[in-house]
Every structure is written in structure tokens, then in C-alpha cells.
Amino acid sequence: MSSAPTPPAVREIADGYAFTGPALDLGAVLLDGTAHRDAQVRVPLGVLNRHGLVAGATGTGKTKTLQLIAEQLSEQGVPVFLADVKGDVSGVAAPGVPSERTGARAAEVGQDWTPQGCPVEFYSLGGQGAGIPIRATVTSFGPLLLAKVLDLNETQESSLSLVFHYADAKGLELYDLKDLTAVIGFLTSPGGKEELRTIGGLSAATAGVILRGLTVLENEGAGAFFGEPEFDTAELLRTAQDGRGVVSVLELPAVQDRPRLFSTFLMWLLADLYQELPEVGDLDRPKLVFFFDEAHLLFKGASKAFLEAITQTVRLIRSKAVGIFFVTQSPRDVPSDVLAQLGNRVQHALRAFTPDDAKALKATVSTFPRSSYDLGEVLTSLGTGEAVVTVLSEKGAPTPVAATRLRAPRSLMGPIEAGALQAAVDASPLTARYRDAVDRESAYEKLAARAARPPAVEPGPAPGPREPAEQEPAPRARRAEQEEPAGAGGLLGSLLSNPTVKSFARSAGRQLGQEISRSLFGTSRRRR
């Protein structure tokens, strides 16, 4: 802390952060290793729906930055969603512990530090690990997101979309993985191929790839993530009785070995929010701020269609008053089309130990507005809990680049005890609603019942006094007549051959297809 007059360069930066409306306090301007507590760096509450990026090398303080922003948002009445990949964010629910180090940091940056926890709900994917189970039906999840989880190529992704289209058109509900497996199995059977021929084909090789992927997913325990009761993403928008925003923490340590699955599930949450929330434009504060941790996992190996859908979601969800912060090690982890939409930046230290590191550093520097800092040098010399910041002003213009010593979170900087976490889950009113899985009749049961139904046998004429050689063709003809409806689905096949039913099915199929096309990820609106 310095008692000397504020340098003009610091004052100029501070003037760029002198907002009139409500704002979150990030820290104090840092110059030549000194934090100037009278030069505060802030971010206006009303621009957080313009999205943001928190980046930096491992161990530079990204998680504490998330915690700092989350607890201030909660205090301002804004709900927050945090993905806890490493299991160290749960401390946001408990007051912090005073220490000499925390007191020194608070004095340096001009922070009035008092310990305080936030109202928190803990969730888990499918009940794996501590937390209220979050599930999604396969239909709601959609073919594009599922193709990302299964690591399908574009051709296989198109075939999977065809399977979803068929299931929608035929009223075969896809609630869990066994439903999808049953539909694919049927479509590769003789009777299913005949039905599928009218809308396209599904090769045995492609079906085999998808089925093997589903089997692996099931064996890894991911089947628990798909099913009912499906999680209502409106639960993420709640506030506590005292008016503070609820911080929703998705506990992911139990599924760290399935990064593609949990990153794609986070994208499903955003896609569902986008579908369900009304257009509201720019409000004085967001309805929700969503922190997307380990963001590089979402983009790695993504298809062109998937990346386009992410880009559209980020662009359009702003008008639903939802802000997204992507959290990753390097800005290069985020596609340029997405990065261009992130108006608020908190860049922690980067390392330049290798030629690739040096290239990443140069690319990062080029994404910041011009400033008086030598950003290449600053970004490699920042300490833990320090970052280079630029945000959008209340008028939507970028603020001056500010090297910043960040404030200390007021909540516990570390995980809470397992017993306390479980007690919070048990006390939640949402636990009874989502804890127990439900298995309703759906595609699996319907197709199993169809397969078990004996083929209808029509009474034939009494055999006449013909020679055996003359009688042979008649039984073959009768068998063909009997086997064709059975292969086409028995009673369902005969119904579908009715012109009136065909017309209705085509109309329903078009309507369902239009509904799916309105969703950026091919996801379906909830049917509750």
C-alpha cells in the first residue's frame, strides 16, 4: 500500500472505472508492483449479460476470481451457476476464515473484508457424487449434443438426427439410453428398415458405431444422467428469502474422467435456458450469470454445426438476460467467433516456457485494447490473485486495460466438509423432487411390446382337393401376406398404411421437425 499521490497513469485508468450505477468490485489498480487502493477496478452489473472470459495458467487464482464475482452477484440479488470441476468451490456456502494473509490483502486493495457465505444449492449429474441429481431426457438433450458426447463424425451425427426425427414422428419417447438403443435396434431390423426407407437410410456400420458409443456411455455410468424426472432449469433462477441470489454449484469431481460429457451437459443447461426464457433485452441486472469452467473441453473436437450452435447461443442468450463467463487457461481455447462476443475480460498470469506458450502469449496480448502497459511483460509477471482486466462500461465501450490486485473472497476459500455439504442437500426442498429416478413407458417398452405381439393370422379358405404341387404357392403367398405387416410393425404397421393416419403422421412429423429446427442444438422443449 502506498501513501504517495496517485500517479496520473493510475488516475486515468481509475476514471475509466468510475461508474454511477451498481457494480461489482474486483480490486485495485496495480502499477510497478504497488496496489493503489484509491483506484478501484469494477464491472457494471448491467453489462454482465455481455458475457466474459476468465483465463490464466493453472494456480493463478481463476477459481478465487469466480468465487469473488459469484458472491457479489448473489449479494446483489443475481442468481449464479458454478461448475465445480475440482471440488474446491463448495466453500462459497460458508463464511471465510479470517487470517493475516486475508487481512493484508484487504488492506492493500481497500476492501472492507468481513466473512460471509452465500445461499447455495448443490447439484450433481445424475446423482453421481454429492448433490441433487440433474437429469435430462434423451429427447430433450437432442442429437447434436449427444453426438458431441459420443464423439461422432458429421455423417454419424446426421444419422443420429434421423433416428431422433423418426422417434418423434412415431411417438416413441426417448427418455433414457435404453430407449434410444431400442429405436436404433428396431430401425436396423428388417421391419424397421422398411419404415425408415421413406425418410432416409441408416447404414448398419453407422448404427453399430452409435450403439457401441451408447454401450460405452452406459458402462461408464453415464446412463444415470439421462432419464426422468428431468431437471427444470428455472430452478437456477431462484433467490433466497433475504433477496440474495442462490448460487447453484454443480459438483463434478465424481465425473472428472468424463470431461466431454459434463461440458456438453453444461451446454444443454444453457440451451434449455435459451428455449424457456422470454426475450427481455438489456436489463439493469442479469437474471443469471453462468460460469462455464474448463471451457476448452466444450470446443475440443467439436463439429462445425456444434460450434455454430454455441456461437448462436452465446449471441442470442444475451437478450434473455443471461450472462456467460467462459473459464479456461488460454483465450486461444475459445473460438474467435465466441471470443469476439465476450465483453468482460479477467486475464490471470500466463507462462511462456515453450515456443507454443510464447505464441499463445502473443495472441492473448493482441486481443486487448491498446494500453500503456507492456502486456507481454505484465502477463508473465503477475502473481497469484492478480490479473489484467478490461470490461464494458455502462455505455458499452471497453474500459482502460488495468493490471489489478484482486480482492479476497468473503466466503471460505476451499471446500466445505462432506458432512456439511450432504446436510445442505438433505435440507433442500428440491431433493424430494429430483432424488428418485422415474422410468415411465417409452420407446423401449413400446417396441418390446410390439415384438412380443403375435402376428395376426387371417382365416384362409378350406383346402380344396388339389394336388400337393398345386397347393405349394398358396401357403407361401399367405406367409408373405402375414409376414409383411409383422415386419412393418403389426398393428402399428397396418395403422400407418391407412391414408388418413399417414396424413396425420406427416403433419405431426412436420410440426415436430419445425419445433426441433427452432432449437439451436436440436433439443426439444420440455413436456412436463
Side-chain angles (χ1 to χ4, degrees):
M1 183 176 66
S2 174
S3 58
T6 304
V10 172
R11 175 50 52 201
E12 183 179 352
I13 292 172
D15 289 345
Y17 291 88
F19 310 123
T20 57
L24 309 184
D25 297 307
L26 298 181
V29 175
L30 187 64
L31 184 66
D32 297 330
T34 300
H36 295 267
R37 56 181 296 165
D38 55 344
Q40 291 294 308
V41 177
R42 313 166 75 215
V43 55
L45 194 59
V47 304
L48 290 177
N49 69 323
R50 307 291 185 91
H51 313 315
L53 175 73
V54 178
T58 301
T60 55
K62 296 191 299 294
T63 301
K64 300 302 176 284
T65 298
L66 305 189
Q67 201 167 336
L68 172 66
I69 297 174
E71 60 189 27
Q72 290 189 69
L73 284 167
S74 174
E75 193 169 351
Q76 295 271 10
V78 178
V80 176
F81 175 89
L82 291 171
D84 188 7
V85 178
K86 300 173 185 175
D88 52 4
V89 182
S90 60
V92 72
V97 178
S99 68
E100 187 175 326
R101 186 176 178 182
T102 300
R105 171 61 65 104
E108 289 172 350
V109 300
Q111 178 184 10
D112 181 15
W113 191 91
T114 53
Q116 181 176 320
C118 301
V120 175
E121 289 281 11
F122 293 102
Y123 297 98
S124 63
L125 286 185
Q128 295 205 7
I132 300 161
I134 290 182
R135 302 181 186 89
T137 64
V138 170
T139 292
S140 171
F141 204 71
L144 198 56
L145 290 172
L146 189 57
K148 177 70 166 67
V149 173
L150 298 176
D151 198 21
L152 303 182
N153 61 34
E154 291 189 12
T155 299
Q156 295 157 352
E157 182 181 293
S158 298
S159 296
L160 184 61
S161 296
L162 181 65
V163 172
F164 273 73
H165 171 77
Y166 174 84
D168 281 336
K170 302 300 183 184
L172 297 172
E173 299 87 352
L174 303 178
Y175 292 148
D176 50 31
L177 293 183
K178 73 176 186 298
D179 290 325
L180 181 57
T181 301
V183 172
I184 295 173
F186 171 71
L187 290 177
T188 53
S189 70
K193 288 180 180 178
E194 188 65 31
E195 290 197 23
L196 189 61
R197 192 174 298 166
T198 59
I199 57 173
L202 176 65
S203 72
T206 297
V209 170
I210 298 173
L211 287 173
R212 284 193 295 274
L214 292 174
T215 300
V216 170
L217 206 59
E218 188 78 48
N219 290 340
E220 290 179 345
F225 308 148
F226 297 97
E228 294 187 302
E230 183 172 71
F231 182 70
D232 186 349
T233 49
E235 310 284 11
L236 304 179
L237 305 175
R238 295 183 302 129
T239 55
Q241 291 184 349
D242 60 5
R244 289 185 294 167
V246 171
V247 179
S248 299
V249 178
L250 180 61
E251 292 293 314
L252 293 169
V255 292
Q256 282 191 77
D257 57 339
R258 279 156 278 173
R260 182 180 285 110
L261 179 65
F262 73 67
S263 67
T264 311
F265 236 93
L266 296 184
M267 202 66 234
W268 170 78
L269 289 174
L270 279 177
D272 194 77
L273 282 166
Y274 173 77
Q275 288 188 82
E276 298 299 319
L277 290 175
E279 296 275 347
V280 293
D282 292 326
L283 303 178
D284 60 350
R285 65 190 62 216
K287 289 185 176 180
L288 173 72
V289 175
F290 193 104
F291 289 92
F292 208 124
D293 203 0
E294 301 292 338
H296 65 282
L297 299 171
L298 180 70
F299 302 110
K300 184 179 180 181
S303 68
K304 180 181 178 182
F306 189 82
L307 290 176
E308 288 175 350
I310 293 175
T311 304
Q312 285 182 283
T313 301
V314 173
R315 181 184 300 118
L316 299 175
I317 205 169
R318 168 194 158 188
S319 63
K320 308 293 183 87
V322 174
I324 306 169
F325 273 74
F326 291 98
V327 185
T328 189
Q329 293 192 10
S330 169
R332 293 205 308 173
D333 297 333
V334 181
S336 57
D337 287 345
V338 175
L339 191 63
Q341 300 179 59
L342 309 183
N344 305 295
R345 299 276 299 275
V346 180
Q347 177 66 60
H348 288 266
L350 290 174
R351 310 302 181 209
F353 299 141
T354 69
D356 284 344
D357 290 342
K359 188 183 296 184
L361 175 62
K362 185 177 180 180
T364 299
V365 170
S366 69
T367 63
F368 278 90
R370 290 185 179 181
S371 73
S372 58
Y373 290 104
D374 180 349
L375 286 180
E377 181 180 345
V378 170
L379 286 172
T380 55
S381 59
L382 290 170
T384 302
E386 297 175 349
V388 171
V389 176
T390 180
V391 300
L392 293 178
S393 70
E394 292 167 311
K395 296 181 179 179
T399 59
V401 175
T404 307
R405 182 161 291 160
L406 299 168
R407 294 186 171 211
R410 297 168 63 191
S411 52
L412 182 65
M413 289 187 279
I416 61 173
E417 294 182 357
L421 196 157
Q422 189 59 54
V425 174
D426 292 341
S428 171
L430 302 182
T431 298
R433 189 179 308 168
Y434 295 109
R435 179 185 54 211
D436 299 324
V438 176
D439 189 9
R440 289 194 292 165
E441 183 186 51
S442 48
Y444 174 82
E445 289 79 13
K446 290 181 178 180
L447 291 172
R450 180 191 302 188
R453 188 181 302 127
V457 180
E458 298 180 7
R466 296 181 181 177
E467 295 295 326
E470 297 176 349
Q471 294 176 359
E472 246 182 326
R476 279 204 301 267
R478 283 197 297 272
R479 277 202 304 272
E481 291 171 359
Q482 293 164 8
E483 289 171 1
E484 184 177 356
L491 179 59
L492 181 59
S494 63
L495 285 172
L496 290 173
S497 66
N498 184 290
T500 303
V501 176
K502 278 185 175 180
S503 175
F504 174 80
R506 282 195 298 270
S507 174
R510 281 195 301 270
Q511 186 173 359
L512 285 165
Q514 289 166 358
E515 178 184 352
I516 288 178
S517 70
R518 285 197 298 269
S519 167
L520 296 177
F521 285 93
T523 54
S524 176
R525 290 184 182 276
R526 292 192 300 268
R527 297 177 177 88
R528 293 193 176 95

